Amino acid sequence: MTKEELWQAVLAQIQLNISPANFNTWFRNTAILSFKDGQVVISTPNSFTKEWLEQKYNKAIFKILRDLKDEIKEVEYAISRQEVKTVKEFTALPIDSDQLEFPELKADKETNLNPRYVFGNFIIGSSNELAQAAAWAAAENPGKIYNPLFIYGGVGLGKTHLLQAVGNEAAKNSSHKKVRYITSEKFTSEVVSAIKNHSMEGLKSKYRTVDVLIIDDVQFLAGKEKTQEEFFHTFNSLYEKNKQIVLSSDRSPKAIPALTERLRSRFEGGMIADISYPDFETRLAILKQKSQERKINLSEEISSYIATKIQKNIRELGGALNRLVIAQKLGEPITIETVKSLLKNLLTTQNKITTPKKIIQAVSDFYDLKEKDLIDPSRKREIVRPRQIAMFLLRDNLKCSFPYIGRKMGGKDHTTAIHSYKKILNEIKTNENMKDEIELINQIISSL
């Protein structure tokens, strides 16, 4: 396996666990610079990417490399100013360059849109039909209907596809319209850079003159006061001119912690649509479509097996196919036994065991709290409510006894656990937002 093939295999697995937006931001123009004496040196285009990969993704990258080649003992990162080969440039491979899906690397430089994300290849099912219909309407009449459009749902369910489909459709219908797609993380980094370089006017001009502004993963704006302030003014400027704004998040506006009330109010002022887990038929249709795109033939038995086993993350269907494409390239026959072997680790993650620790961690992450905050005897509202939800989930998911829940949550009396469980249970029945929050937290639990 060459350096290029090794890095290609790493990217195929990294793509399973992060959003397309993050994949595009942090893994564009990266490659293996050298591989010698057990040390792999990964080239990065700048110091910001280098530091982020070291701090955020090093553990995952090292584990994948070790799984692929057990002689690898160390991973280092270096800034390389020279243009590195990206996956789409591996023309020497005995498979089509499009067979492996890394569409994020093909984004248009002006709009940041990927031309492959269109409505025509978005599979519609009961889990996403409202979001798709709203997105289509917004694309056909930008700024006139469903503005802003806010789409939310768990990881890997198709939010980014829909957002970029809006941009591509709007650009196709009106070539003179300025369309721009960006992640909230990238927007934040641009704000920080503009402040540092005293170039805020240039940033304002860049985003306040577009006709369709698409912001992915807006939950990452939480807690970033200066970025929220700039985005608030940009939002108002565009909205007053009837320019289309499309947003995505992993949760509803009400559930985003540390978001200013004025931004939350703006987000809730338009159309809010959620995307939930796809049913078996939708997953099977998505898998067959992706198989055709990658030019890999799967039997009905294999397709059904994968669609049955992978239930909660559409992106993992693509990731599973990436593994099969690599196996096919290396000459392995694609049989049901091969599939079970190659996807063993992936399918294991689909059936992770839920534990009390995971529930507490997921609730803490969702509400941007420290785990000890949930257990400490604080009576602050921002602590009490997440604590009640944690107690509810311990009972609902694991059937823990109320005395155990009380002890687990800082030595509370069992009557407190009973009260918390009943309170959240009743809210779920009458409050759609609470139901959504519980579903999103459960998605986080399943990913831990």
Side-chain angles (χ1 to χ4, degrees), residues 228-429:
Q228 288 191 48
E229 180 182 350
E230 177 55 34
F231 183 62
F232 174 78
H233 293 304
T234 297
F235 185 106
N236 282 348
S237 175
L238 294 175
Y239 186 79
E240 289 168 0
K241 298 173 187 174
N242 292 320
K243 305 301 184 182
Q244 181 67 49
I245 303 166
V246 186
L247 311 163
S248 84
S249 172
D250 65 355
R251 63 198 74 177
S252 67
K254 288 185 182 296
I256 301 176
L259 186 68
T260 60
E261 193 55 41
R262 60 182 184 176
L263 261 187
R264 195 189 315 276
S265 175
R266 295 298 188 279
F267 291 171
E268 294 174 342
M271 173 68 176
I272 299 178
D274 72 307
I275 299 178
S276 56
Y277 294 138
D279 55 27
F280 172 78
E281 289 76 11
T282 304
R283 297 195 304 273
L284 188 60
I286 292 170
L287 185 64
K288 289 183 175 181
Q289 181 195 61
K290 289 182 179 293
S291 298
Q292 291 177 353
E293 291 174 355
R294 290 166 176 75
K295 302 179 179 65
I296 180 170
N297 294 319
L298 300 180
S299 68
E300 196 67 32
E301 179 188 17
I302 291 175
S303 297
S304 296
Y305 175 79
I306 296 174
T308 299
K309 293 295 183 178
I310 299 178
Q311 301 179 3
K312 297 182 178 180
N313 190 323
I314 293 172
R315 195 176 302 124
E316 290 187 349
L317 291 174
L321 282 177
N322 283 349
R323 296 189 184 189
L324 297 182
V325 168
I326 292 172
Q328 179 177 265
K329 177 180 70 68
L330 296 174
E332 293 188 41
I334 306 303
T335 64
I336 190 66
E337 289 73 22
T338 303
V339 171
K340 289 180 179 179
S341 175
L342 287 172
L343 305 185
K344 182 179 179 182
N345 292 337
L346 175 61
L347 299 180
T348 298
T349 65
Q350 292 284 319
N351 300 294
K352 292 177 180 177
I353 298 174
T354 299
T355 64
K357 179 174 176 55
K358 287 184 179 180
I359 289 176
I360 293 172
Q361 181 184 343
V363 174
S364 301
D365 290 347
F366 188 84
Y367 292 104
D368 197 24
L369 301 170
K370 295 179 180 178
E371 291 183 32
K372 68 180 184 66
D373 292 336
L374 291 180
I375 299 173
D376 288 346
S378 172
R379 296 295 302 169
K380 294 180 180 178
R381 187 178 185 278
E382 60 267 27
I383 302 295
V384 171
R385 189 168 184 77
R387 183 187 297 138
Q388 291 175 334
I389 290 172
M391 290 183 173
F392 168 81
L393 290 169
L394 286 169
R395 178 67 176 182
D396 191 61
N397 288 7
L398 298 180
K399 311 304 179 188
C400 296
S401 69
F402 290 117
Y404 173 85
I405 294 172
R407 292 195 302 271
K408 193 69 179 176
M409 299 305 296
K412 306 290 188 298
D413 189 82
H414 74 282
T415 56
T416 301
I418 294 173
H419 169 75
S420 298
Y421 175 77
K422 290 183 176 179
K423 178 179 175 62
I424 301 302
L425 182 63
N426 288 331
E427 281 198 46
I428 290 173
K429 295 176 181 177

Side-chain angles (χ1 to χ4, degrees), residues 52-262:
W52 193 262
L53 293 183
E54 287 175 335
Q55 296 172 13
K56 182 83 171 179
Y57 295 110
N58 181 63
K59 186 176 179 181
I61 291 171
F62 178 67
K63 183 180 184 304
I64 295 169
L65 284 168
R66 284 274 295 174
D67 288 343
L68 293 168
K69 283 188 174 291
D70 56 14
E71 66 264 34
I72 293 174
K73 308 297 181 187
E74 184 182 6
V75 178
E76 295 291 336
Y77 300 86
I79 301 170
S80 176
R81 297 298 178 187
Q82 65 184 32
E83 186 176 346
V84 299
K85 287 185 177 181
T86 55
V87 173
K88 65 178 182 180
E89 293 174 305
F90 294 160
T91 54
L93 294 180
I95 57 172
D96 292 338
S97 59
D98 285 338
Q99 197 173 355
L100 275 172
E101 182 187 75
F102 297 104
E104 295 77 9
L105 303 178
K106 301 178 180 179
D108 180 86
K109 291 182 180 179
E110 183 65 28
T111 65
N112 293 327
L113 291 170
N114 186 311
R116 291 178 61 179
Y117 285 139
V118 295
F119 287 110
N121 57 19
F122 184 83
I123 302 297
I124 304 171
S126 59
S127 60
N128 59 29
E129 57 185 348
L130 174 61
Q132 191 276 342
W136 175 261
E140 289 293 292
N141 298 282
K144 298 178 181 178
I145 186 171
Y146 301 147
N147 195 26
L149 172 60
F150 191 103
I151 297 174
Y152 73 95
V155 174
L157 298 182
K159 300 188 300 296
T160 295
H161 189 143
L162 264 188
L163 259 65
Q164 295 212 25
V166 172
N168 282 316
E169 185 69 18
K172 184 183 76 172
N173 293 340
S174 301
S175 58
H176 65 278
K177 287 188 180 295
K178 293 178 65 175
V179 179
R180 185 170 293 275
Y181 164 89
I182 191 172
T183 68
S184 64
E185 287 182 305
K186 179 66 173 174
F187 183 78
T188 299
S189 71
E190 289 192 11
V191 170
V192 172
S193 178
I195 294 172
K196 180 180 177 181
N197 299 320
H198 307 288
S199 57
M200 284 301 293
E201 290 305 315
L203 183 71
K204 291 176 181 178
S205 175
K206 178 179 179 179
Y207 289 106
R208 297 185 191 182
T209 57
V210 300
D211 297 291
V212 180
L213 179 62
I214 305 168
I215 305 283
D216 213 346
D217 291 327
V218 294
Q219 73 271 10
F220 292 119
L221 294 177
K224 301 176 176 69
E225 294 182 6
K226 186 61 180 177
T227 304
Q228 288 191 48
E229 180 182 350
E230 177 55 34
F231 183 62
F232 174 78
H233 293 304
T234 297
F235 185 106
N236 282 348
S237 175
L238 294 175
Y239 186 79
E240 289 168 0
K241 298 173 187 174
N242 292 320
K243 305 301 184 182
Q244 181 67 49
I245 303 166
V246 186
L247 311 163
S248 84
S249 172
D250 65 355
R251 63 198 74 177
S252 67
K254 288 185 182 296
I256 301 176
L259 186 68
T260 60
E261 193 55 41
R262 60 182 184 176

